[in-house]
Amino acid sequence: RTDVLIGPHGADMTNAFALHAGASVVELLPPIRKGCPCTMYQQMFAAEPKVYHYTASTTNNSHATRTGPANTRGTYSSDFVVPVSVTERILEHVVTVGGRAENFRTVDFRFA
């Protein structure tokens, strides 16, 4: 019954494959990338185009959460901030597409 699923890149994104035809999925790509995020989900949804796949990405490290002691390299988690204005842009686009294949085009909603 979900029309729009927004979630971070990762294993939970597989839930989008249960969406109905015409639904949209927005994959949030974290700013810290060490070999991933990859284009796996984008390619999978393109192969079975019943669900419309979008991405929202940033390279702004200040959006990421750092873990580990401050004096060590630590790691970054996939927890990051997506500004409300970006979410609004995404949802406005999804509403404009309206679940219609003729209106769909792949979009990466990049933000700083």
Side-chain angles (χ1 to χ4, degrees):
R1 296 182 184 173
T2 300
D3 292 323
V4 181
L5 177 66
I6 300 175
H9 172 81
D12 287 340
M13 192 56 49
T14 59
N15 292 316
F17 291 104
L19 292 172
H20 63 82
S24 296
V25 59
V26 181
E27 181 180 8
L28 304 174
L29 302 175
I32 306 303
R33 300 175 185 176
K34 294 185 177 157
C36 217
C38 56
T39 60
M40 177 184 73
Y41 291 112
Q42 184 177 1
Q43 292 171 2
M44 291 173 77
F45 284 107
E48 186 64 43
K50 73 172 192 137
V51 173
Y52 306 123
H53 178 270
Y54 303 98
T55 55
S57 64
T58 183
T59 56
N60 185 340
N61 293 351
S62 69
H63 288 296
T65 302
R66 188 170 183 81
T67 60
N71 61 346
T72 65
R73 284 184 63 189
T75 61
Y76 284 92
S77 70
S78 291
D79 298 335
F80 63 99
V81 175
V82 177
V84 171
S85 61
V86 175
T87 305
E88 288 172 340
R89 266 190 6 213
I90 293 167
L91 294 176
E92 285 172 4
H93 180 80
V94 168
V95 168
T96 299
V97 170
R100 294 183 301 276
E102 64 273 12
N103 295 341
F104 172 72
R105 63 181 167 75
T106 300
V107 177
D108 179 18
F109 295 90
R110 294 181 188 264
F111 60 98

